[in-house]
Amino acid sequence: MPYSEDHKAQSKERILKSATELFCRYGFEKVSIKQIMKLAKMTHGAFYAHFESKEALYNASFLETLKASRAARLVKGPLSVKHLTALVSNYWNLQELVQKSKPGPETVLFNEIGNENAEVKKLFEASYQNLKRMLETRIIALSRLKKLPFEPDRETVAEKSRAILSSLVGAVAIARSIPQEEERRGILEAAQKQILIMLGVNESELDTILSSRSTDMWPGGSGN
């Protein structure tokens, strides 16, 4: 008896959910189809009824996470500097990196640096360009409203977006590899501070933003 369309759709969703969790936790190269199907509680042979290859599944996983990306809120959220700085200061929350319950496409940037697989490199570039474009859109809008201390010319905005993303990815990549939590906190807070300064946040606002978010940065709400 053939499976119903609903059953097929549910099975595909289970595979996709399992793959997304594993890809975001370990990266493309360190995850096997066998591991994905084991987590999905399905047989290895069932994989090819839904996806033609691991690369095809990785692509589908990326597209799914893109839809619910935290970065998408840069476009949907209120047009204010407060909203932008809130996103930036919580963007690489280590609690989310540990839990990995709701990964976003920016995780591709963390896990796949240097990956030579053609499909993965294509998605890496897509993830980077998507994040950069969303940052540029929001920064240009705020600059035109005179809410940021610089002109909204394309080159200035592009430069600031590149700096934000390189700081973000670099800080997280280093912090995830450092076992000492105090040093991890220092790395992330230093990067946060520099990004907020670049966006025009003054010293008094900096202290308020960073102190209000420091307890959210760590599992259990503490730095211990």
Side-chain angles (χ1 to χ4, degrees):
M1 179 178 177
Y3 289 119
S4 68
E5 290 301 316
D6 283 347
H7 182 275
K8 291 179 180 178
Q10 290 172 7
S11 296
K12 185 174 183 178
E13 181 61 29
R14 283 167 60 189
I15 296 172
L16 190 56
K17 182 178 179 181
S18 297
T20 298
E21 178 179 338
L22 291 174
F23 284 145
C24 288
R25 187 182 295 269
Y26 303 113
F28 178 83
E29 298 294 347
K30 294 182 180 179
V31 174
S32 67
I33 293 175
K34 181 178 180 181
Q35 290 171 316
I36 292 168
M37 299 307 284
K38 181 178 180 180
L39 184 60
K41 295 182 170 57
M42 297 172 66
T43 63
H44 187 280
F47 175 85
Y48 292 100
H50 302 282
F51 299 96
E52 63 181 22
S53 65
K54 190 172 84 165
E55 284 82 1
L57 175 57
Y58 189 83
N59 184 70
S61 172
F62 174 79
L63 293 176
E64 281 298 305
T65 58
L66 184 62
K67 293 178 183 177
S69 169
R70 287 174 294 168
R73 289 187 297 210
L74 283 169
V75 175
K76 298 178 181 178
L79 193 60
S80 68
V81 176
K82 182 179 179 181
H83 176 73
L84 179 59
T85 55
L87 282 172
V88 169
S89 61
N90 270 338
Y91 209 86
W92 49 93
N93 186 321
L94 276 192
Q95 185 171 355
E96 288 196 18
L97 291 175
V98 172
Q99 294 174 338
K100 298 179 182 66
S101 57
K102 295 182 179 180
E106 62 276 7
T107 306
V108 174
L109 296 176
F110 305 149
N111 289 333
E112 309 302 350
I113 295 173
N115 193 317
E116 292 300 318
N117 180 285
E119 184 68 20
V120 175
K121 286 179 73 175
K122 183 174 70 175
L123 292 175
F124 182 99
E125 181 181 5
S127 178
Y128 169 80
Q129 294 295 348
N130 177 71
L131 294 172
K132 181 170 175 283
R133 184 170 55 252
M134 288 182 177
L135 279 170
E136 289 175 342
T137 298
R138 181 50 50 125
I139 291 171
I140 286 172
L142 290 170
S143 296
R144 286 175 175 168
L145 292 173
K146 307 299 182 183
K147 293 184 178 182
L148 293 176
F150 47 83
E151 293 300 315
D153 66 275
R154 289 287 177 179
E155 188 51 43
T156 297
V157 172
E159 181 180 354
K160 290 187 181 296
S161 296
R162 292 185 192 109
I164 289 172
L165 286 172
S166 60
S167 295
L168 182 157
V169 176
V172 174
I174 295 171
R176 291 177 70 181
S177 301
I178 299 296
Q180 295 84 10
E181 291 189 0
E182 183 177 353
E183 185 61 20
R184 292 166 76 185
R185 176 192 290 271
I187 291 167
L188 296 180
E189 288 186 348
Q192 288 176 349
K193 186 173 182 178
Q194 292 307 307
I195 289 173
L196 295 173
I197 289 172
M198 183 171 52
L199 289 173
V201 178
N202 63 43
E203 287 293 334
S204 60
E205 291 176 311
L206 269 176
D207 292 339
T208 300
I209 291 171
L210 292 176
S211 63
S212 67
R213 301 188 190 287
S214 60
T215 54
D216 295 330
M217 194 184 298
W218 307 94
S222 72
N224 300 317

